[in-house]
Amino acid sequence: MTWLVLLGALLCMLRVGLGTPDSEGFPPRALHNCPYKCICAADLLSCTGLGLQDVPAELPAATADLDLSHNALQRLRPGWLAPLFQLRALHLDHNELDALGRGVFANASGLRLLDLSSNTLRALGRHDLDGLGALEKLLLFNNRLAHLDEHAFHGLRALSHLYLGCNELASFSFDHLHGLSATHLLTLDLSSNRLGHISVPELAALPAFLKNGLYLHNNPLPCDCRLYHLLQRWHQRGLSAVRDFAREYVCLAFKVPASRVRFFQHSRVFENCSLAPALGLERPEEHLYALVGRSLRLYCNTSVPAMRIAWVSPQQELLRAPGSRDGSIAVLADGSLAIGNVQEQHAGLFVCLATGPRLHHNQTHEYNVSVHFPRPEPEAFNTGFTTLLGCAVGLVLVLLYLFAPPCRCCRRACRCRRWPQTPSPLQELSAQSSVLSTTPPDAPSRKASVHKHVVFLEPGRRGLNGRVQLAVAEEFDLYNPGGLQLKAGSESASSIGSEGPMTT
């Protein structure tokens, strides 16, 4: 056993002394066709930041993602992508490319992503992007583009995101989008350019889903009333391209850079603008209300029959038959859109896009869907019975009021209960005079005698202000009124004598 251990130790010493293929004495094994100093991993090839002035001569045929960014590339030779038949993404950003040329992308029919940002491109010709029929995302921002050919994007049938920001473009054709197909285009970035003239009717005619992704901020736009009302309406509708960059939408009031005015913060500039010219620019959207758990169906109504119909969901998903990725939305054979079980995620703007030989790209129909929860149903009851019962009770109360008045005291069987009331000063005065009178209250009436009994009260302390009150009964002669004597309290005799006697 000991000799086996010694043999293993000897072999290890020999391996260390002679070295291994991974040691510094031997260079690492180079992968198949991997360029010098580049990194190859499966179908990825990265040659970034190497200061390359030309594309490596040999590239692995299995490359699907090629990164040549942050180099010094100035030209691309035609047909250089011929060996890369599996290429899906190409990164050429942060180089020194000032032109492309015809046939540069002739063999890139499967390319999905092309990044040409942060170069020195000045123009795009008609055939510069030929061969990119499957391209979905094109990045051209941060260049020096000042001119676009009228059909520069003609062959990009599947393009959905186009970034042209931070360039020197002074105009852009929104009528035909320089050859682009609006069927798939969802994002069009034209921010931070020199756009000084924009056709407002062309903007209004764009599909709603493209308006949501149309970025025009930080451009010297004209302070036009129609453009102001159009952008204001987009802002009120909550289109993300306007809502997220509202502070950066500016216009020139006097066509000089010093007269920059913010669209949504200096409304005084547009106070005299009339809304009439802006009416009718956009087709009004149709508002629909749906309940959670119910079904909903939307129809794409166009002026003429369409050859192809597609929908755009509120989540900016392009919907074609059979429907959405999660299966909650179906696109039927007639082009209509069906939702079997409406949920909160289905709230928002649905846009129908119809294309055909006799249709323009702006043949769209918009549905603004609001989703609500159903209200709980109230407890069942017979409203007719309750109404009849209420009428009967009301009739009975009316009859009681008319034919059964309150209790009358004239009847012996009815005894009215009267609550004690506080006597008024006049009633107290009458009562006192009756008590002090010598004539019995129930004595038979007789002729008035010559002698009367007069009662004078002393002045009260509350409410009479020194007036004489009946106090003592004295006999006096009507034919000798001079013998009448008055008794007063603390008041002066002059105030007491001002009042006359009261006779009963």
Side-chain angles (χ1 to χ4, degrees):
M1 189 68 181
T2 304
W3 67 271
L4 290 176
V5 175
L6 294 175
L7 181 61
L10 181 61
L11 292 174
C12 289
M13 293 176 62
L14 291 173
R15 183 176 183 182
V16 171
L18 297 176
T20 61
D22 296 332
S23 64
E24 296 181 358
F26 294 89
R29 292 181 180 179
L31 297 178
H32 182 64
N33 292 338
C34 188
Y36 179 64
K37 292 186 179 181
C38 295
I39 299 176
C40 298
D43 59 350
L44 303 178
L45 175 56
S46 176
C47 300
T48 179
L50 299 179
L52 300 177
Q53 296 183 358
D54 198 2
V55 178
E58 295 184 1
L59 299 174
T63 302
D65 192 320
L66 177 58
D67 189 356
L68 294 171
S69 62
H70 296 274
N71 283 288
L73 301 178
Q74 297 180 358
R75 293 288 177 180
L76 297 175
R77 63 181 183 271
W80 70 285
L81 293 175
L84 308 180
F85 59 93
Q86 296 183 6
L87 190 63
R88 297 293 180 269
L90 177 58
H91 304 272
L92 294 170
D93 54 290
H94 293 88
N95 279 280
E96 300 176 6
L97 299 172
D98 57 359
L100 294 177
R102 186 169 187 172
V104 173
F105 304 106
N107 303 103
S109 59
L111 197 64
R112 301 288 189 273
L113 168 66
L114 176 58
D115 189 355
L116 291 168
S117 62
S118 299
N119 280 277
T120 58
L121 297 175
R122 298 181 179 274
L124 278 182
R126 183 166 187 170
H127 302 286
D128 286 350
L129 300 175
D130 285 352
L132 299 175
L135 191 66
E136 298 176 356
K137 186 176 293 187
L138 176 58
L139 287 75
L140 288 166
F141 62 87
N142 196 25
N143 278 275
R144 298 179 182 177
L145 290 173
H147 173 71
L148 298 177
D149 187 83
E150 187 178 358
H151 301 282
F153 309 110
H154 177 70
L156 308 183
R157 297 181 300 273
L159 192 66
S160 60
H161 297 79
L162 176 59
Y163 298 90
L164 292 168
C166 297
N167 280 285
E168 301 175 4
L169 296 175
S171 62
F172 189 87
S173 175
F174 292 97
D175 185 21
H176 55 82
L177 303 175
H178 294 271
L180 279 174
S181 173
T183 306
H184 304 283
L185 191 60
L186 301 177
T187 300
L188 177 57
D189 180 17
L190 293 169
S191 62
S192 301
N193 276 275
R194 299 179 180 178
L195 299 178
H197 174 72
I198 292 181
S199 176
V200 178
E202 291 180 3
L203 276 183
L206 293 175
F209 58 85
L210 182 53
K211 296 173 185 176
N212 189 61
L214 177 59
Y215 295 88
L216 296 172
H217 58 277
N218 200 19
N219 275 287
L221 302 174
C223 291
D224 182 73
C225 291
R226 295 193 303 170
L227 181 60
Y228 168 74
H229 286 300
L230 183 64
L231 293 178
Q232 186 72 23
R233 186 171 185 269
W234 290 4
H235 186 267
Q236 294 173 354
R237 292 172 57 186
L239 299 185
S240 59
V242 181
R243 179 193 59 199
D244 298 340
F245 297 92
R247 292 179 53 86
E248 300 182 32
Y249 274 85
V250 296
C251 68
L252 298 183
F254 304 106
K255 297 183 180 181
V256 292
S259 63
R260 295 166 67 93
V261 176
R262 297 187 185 275
F263 265 100
F264 305 105
Q265 293 186 355
H266 300 84
S267 57
R268 292 184 178 180
V269 180
F270 306 99
E271 286 182 351
N272 297 327
C273 288
S274 175
L275 187 59
L279 297 177
L281 286 176
E282 288 186 309
R283 182 178 180 180
E285 60 190 20
E286 186 173 348
H287 294 269
L288 296 178
Y289 296 89
L291 297 177
V292 174
R294 304 289 180 85
S295 61
L296 179 65
R297 187 141 179 206
L298 306 178
Y299 294 90
C300 188
N301 299 320
T302 57
S303 58
V304 295
M307 182 179 296
R308 292 181 301 273
I309 294 178
W311 292 81
V312 178
S313 69
Q315 290 75 29
Q316 299 300 309
E317 179 185 357
L318 184 63
L319 303 176
R320 289 178 293 185
S324 60
R325 290 189 295 266
D326 58 1
S328 63
I329 304 175
V331 179
L332 305 181
D334 60 351
S336 61
L337 186 142
I339 304 176
N341 186 13
V342 175
Q343 299 297 326
E344 290 183 277
Q345 64 184 6
H346 298 138
L349 189 67
F350 285 87
V351 182
C352 165
L353 176 63
T355 59
R358 293 186 294 170
L359 287 176
H360 198 254
H361 71 271
N362 60 352
Q363 290 291 315
T364 61
H365 196 78
E366 304 174 9
Y367 292 93
N368 195 348
V369 178
S370 301
V371 178
H372 304 274
F373 285 93
R375 296 181 179 179
E377 297 183 359
E379 298 181 359
F381 63 96
N382 192 342
T383 57
F385 175 76
T386 55
T387 304
L388 181 61
L389 181 61
C391 293
V393 172
L395 182 60
V396 171
L397 293 177
V398 171
L399 294 177
L400 290 176
Y401 177 78
L402 294 177
F403 299 100
C407 179
R408 299 177 180 179
C409 297
C410 59
R411 299 180 181 178
R412 295 181 179 180
C414 180
R415 297 180 179 180
C416 295
R417 182 178 181 181
R418 298 183 179 274
W419 298 96
Q421 298 180 356
T422 303
S424 63
L426 294 178
Q427 291 175 347
E428 290 181 356
L429 180 62
S430 177
Q432 293 176 3
S433 63
S434 300
V435 171
L436 296 177
S437 176
T438 58
T439 305
D442 53 353
S445 61
R446 54 187 176 179
K447 295 182 180 180
S449 62
V450 176
H451 300 281
K452 297 290 183 180
H453 298 272
V454 180
V455 180
F456 294 93
L457 301 181
E458 295 184 0
R461 293 182 181 180
R462 295 182 302 174
L464 295 178
N465 193 18
R467 293 183 180 182
V468 179
Q469 294 182 351
L470 298 178
V472 181
E474 293 184 0
E475 293 185 0
F476 69 95
D477 192 353
L478 290 175
Y479 298 100
N480 187 16
L484 180 63
Q485 296 181 1
L486 301 177
K487 291 186 178 182
S490 61
E491 300 293 336
S492 63
S494 61
S495 63
I496 298 174
S498 63
E499 300 288 341
M502 295 181 61
T503 61
T504 58

